[in-house]
Amino acid sequence: MSLSTLKNRRERGFLDGQFLIAMPGMEDRNFNRTVIYICAHSDAGAMGFVINRPQKLTFTDVLLHLDMIKDDDAIVLPADARDFPIQTGGPVESGRGFVLHSDDYLSDSSIPVSDDISLTATLDIVRAISKGSGPKRATMLLGYAGWGAGQLEAEIGNNGWLNCPAKEELIFDRSLDNKYERALALMGINAAMLSPHAGHS
């Protein structure tokens, strides 16, 4: 599923607003020990963002790359902008930035993904964040995770993922090291208890 499909969706799918939590047997290195927030799910496929993978780039790096500031301006950025979190959102379009954020910021290009969370992928929100006037809660993600029609359902059926309702606090939590364990804890699961082998009856 692509961003344009997300914009044009008519209704929410049953995995919208859910966390996907990779099972220990996940073979794709892109998703080993990941927690993914699903923004859109339909018969056409699914789209979401990994929320527990760090990114070496800083927000200042992004602003410099986009020519929004000069080197000398970096030091005068608001503290919230200098510390603004950037994560690796997934392997698709990994050079493109997306901002997941609370709904206190909305522009014409913002797409609601839940009752409280929106997605904006345009420069206006980057400018707002750099000036200290962005959303109260947000994170920038480079790239996203996407699945074609029926692909995600098949992966879940093959014991690749667990899913549970997402928690906003976990999406925007900047501590990434144990986010995988904390996501499992939402389901009452201890990571050490999970088997890497699929079980089918």
Side-chain angles (χ1 to χ4, degrees):
M1 177 179 281
S2 66
L3 189 62
S4 60
T5 309
L6 174 59
K7 290 178 182 175
N8 297 320
R9 67 182 172 161
R10 296 287 181 267
E11 58 188 45
R12 294 178 180 172
F14 74 90
L15 287 173
D16 277 25
Q18 295 265 320
F19 281 150
L20 286 183
I21 307 168
M23 288 289 283
M26 174 63 67
E27 295 179 0
D28 189 333
R29 289 186 178 182
N30 289 311
F31 300 118
N32 182 41
R33 288 180 58 83
T34 57
V35 181
I36 295 178
Y37 175 60
I38 294 294
C39 293
H41 172 240
S42 71
D43 291 342
M47 175 190 183
F49 296 95
V50 177
I51 61 164
N52 66 327
R53 278 275 165 87
Q55 171 61 237
K56 293 179 181 177
L57 288 176
T58 67
F59 189 65
T60 302
D61 293 333
V62 171
L63 295 177
L64 289 168
H65 176 74
L66 295 171
D67 289 327
M68 288 188 165
I69 63 170
K70 302 300 180 189
D71 284 324
D72 295 343
D73 299 328
I75 197 166
V76 298
L77 284 171
D80 285 349
R82 288 197 305 272
D83 298 334
F84 189 74
I86 306 220
Q87 297 177 51
T88 299
V92 184
E93 293 191 60
S94 57
R96 186 174 181 187
F98 303 84
V99 180
L100 270 178
H101 57 90
S102 49
D103 61 1
D104 54 327
Y105 173 95
L106 288 174
S107 70
D108 292 340
S109 56
S110 298
I111 304 169
V113 295
S114 74
D115 292 339
D116 305 308
I117 298 174
S118 295
L119 175 68
T120 304
T122 50
L123 294 180
D124 53 352
I125 193 168
V126 178
R127 289 192 190 94
I129 293 166
S130 70
K131 295 173 181 174
S133 57
K136 184 177 181 181
R137 308 184 84 178
T139 187
M140 176 177 277
L141 303 123
L142 299 183
Y144 66 90
W147 294 264
Q151 184 182 358
L152 180 54
E153 292 86 343
E155 290 180 10
I156 292 173
N158 287 326
N159 206 40
W161 302 97
L162 295 171
N163 64 284
C164 69
K167 294 287 186 184
E168 183 176 338
E169 295 77 17
L170 204 58
I171 294 171
F172 297 120
D173 191 319
R174 298 188 182 191
S175 178
L176 305 184
D177 288 347
N178 64 347
K179 195 176 278 192
Y180 179 76
E181 286 79 9
R182 285 183 289 147
L184 286 170
L186 294 174
M187 304 178 70
I189 295 173
N190 184 325
M193 298 166 59
L194 289 176
S195 168
H197 306 293
H200 299 284
S201 56

